[in-house]
Amino acid sequence: MTESRRTTLLATAALLAMTACWGSTFFLIHDLLDRVPTLDFLALRFAMASVALLVVAPRAVGRLSPRKRRQAMALGLLYGVAQILQTAGLAHTAASVSGFITGMYVVSTPLFAALLLGTRITRMTWAAVALATAGLGVLTLDGLSIGYGEAITLVAALLYALHIVGLGAWSTARDALGMSIVQILVIAVVCGLATAPDGVVLPDTTRDWLSIAYMAVFAGALALVGQTWAQAHLSPTRSAIIMSMEPVFAAFFAVLLGGEPTTLRMLLGGLMVLSAMLVVELLPRRRIEAEVQHIAV
């Protein structure tokens, strides 16, 4: 196995582990939001994640070039606004519909990659994208109507896609930690400004603090570091398809730890998304896609 192939497999494993970590938070968030408002939770989560990374690597941001800092700030702004729009949309649409529309970043990512990076998307890649999208529909969708909530959730999905494409173009293994810290700091500021007018509601139990700490450190700080590093070695479209496993992991942990029943739709949708990921991982890469790794600026 070549060094390049080994690095690619390691990046895939890191991105998959990060996606599993995100999936593990769904049933925790569902329980937590009964007591802590959503925007307050987001602001607190990313503030704690920022502190954790700054304590561990206080000099990482200083090693970034001014250009890398600006790029990381732009990426953090995209992600922070997407979080707020997704949350606002969730107040006006069903959770299942929100999950499906948010998953449209799987379709949007190759489109943006083609427009912004000059990417050539092959038929096999589009087949994998279509399979992942259909799997998300089977897994999450009970019905779909188009209204205000759905519209702003779609905008959030487009912003997530731009974030994935931007990471693929701008991230490097050397700068992954510093860029992650800047992104999380910006996300924390964006979410904090959004919730500041109404004040911040803090958790009042040890259990809730532990839940937020887990989501801040593991599903926040470490996950974003892992994503930033992994996308220095993977194409945006490939990353988006791997990350479409998030609702599959969410369903898995909901059954394993949340006590939810296993359904045929859950199994079928999960199998379809998994198959899409295997298509881009097991077939020879040259038959999948030829992507430009950096934006020409």
Side-chain angles (χ1 to χ4, degrees), residues 62-84:
R63 290 194 290 267
L64 294 176
S65 67
R67 182 185 179 193
K68 286 295 180 186
R69 290 195 197 104
R70 290 194 297 271
Q71 290 172 344
M73 289 176 67
L75 292 171
L77 183 61
L78 283 173
Y79 197 95
V81 173
Q83 287 273 299
I84 292 173

Side-chain angles (χ1 to χ4, degrees), residues 58-278:
R59 299 180 181 177
V61 175
R63 290 194 290 267
L64 294 176
S65 67
R67 182 185 179 193
K68 286 295 180 186
R69 290 195 197 104
R70 290 194 297 271
Q71 290 172 344
M73 289 176 67
L75 292 171
L77 183 61
L78 283 173
Y79 197 95
V81 173
Q83 287 273 299
I84 292 173
L85 290 177
Q86 182 185 4
T87 301
L90 193 56
H92 299 278
T93 188
S96 60
V97 174
S98 175
F100 175 73
I101 295 176
T102 301
M104 288 299 97
Y105 68 74
V106 178
V107 177
S108 306
T109 297
L111 293 175
F112 285 135
L115 291 172
L116 300 176
L117 304 183
T119 300
R120 182 176 66 85
I121 308 297
T122 68
R123 293 178 182 177
M124 188 61 72
T125 302
W126 279 120
V129 168
L131 184 58
T133 303
L136 288 171
V138 172
L139 186 66
T140 64
L141 206 57
D142 289 320
L144 181 61
S145 60
I146 303 300
Y148 170 75
E150 290 77 16
I152 62 175
T153 303
L154 180 59
V155 174
L158 297 177
L159 293 179
Y160 284 133
L162 284 172
H163 180 263
I164 293 170
V165 171
L167 272 183
W170 292 337
S171 64
T172 64
R174 182 187 64 183
D175 295 325
L177 185 55
M179 289 188 72
S180 298
I181 294 173
V182 173
Q183 286 180 82
I184 288 181
L185 282 169
V186 172
I187 296 168
V189 169
V190 169
C191 294
L193 290 175
T195 193
D198 297 324
V200 178
V201 176
L202 298 177
D204 55 8
T205 68
T206 301
R207 176 186 173 187
D208 287 348
W209 276 109
L210 289 175
S211 293
I212 294 177
Y214 165 75
M215 288 183 276
V217 174
F218 293 96
L222 295 181
L224 190 54
V225 170
Q227 181 186 3
T228 303
W229 177 84
Q231 285 206 238
H233 304 284
L234 299 173
S235 68
T237 301
R238 191 173 184 177
S239 299
I241 292 173
I242 294 170
M243 290 164 63
S244 69
M245 284 289 293
E246 181 180 354
V248 179
F249 283 118
F252 170 77
F253 284 110
V255 171
L256 182 66
L257 302 176
E260 292 191 14
T262 304
T263 65
L264 180 59
R265 283 186 54 188
M266 188 183 294
L267 294 174
L268 179 59
L271 182 61
M272 292 169 70
V273 175
L274 178 61
S275 298
M277 188 193 72
L278 293 177

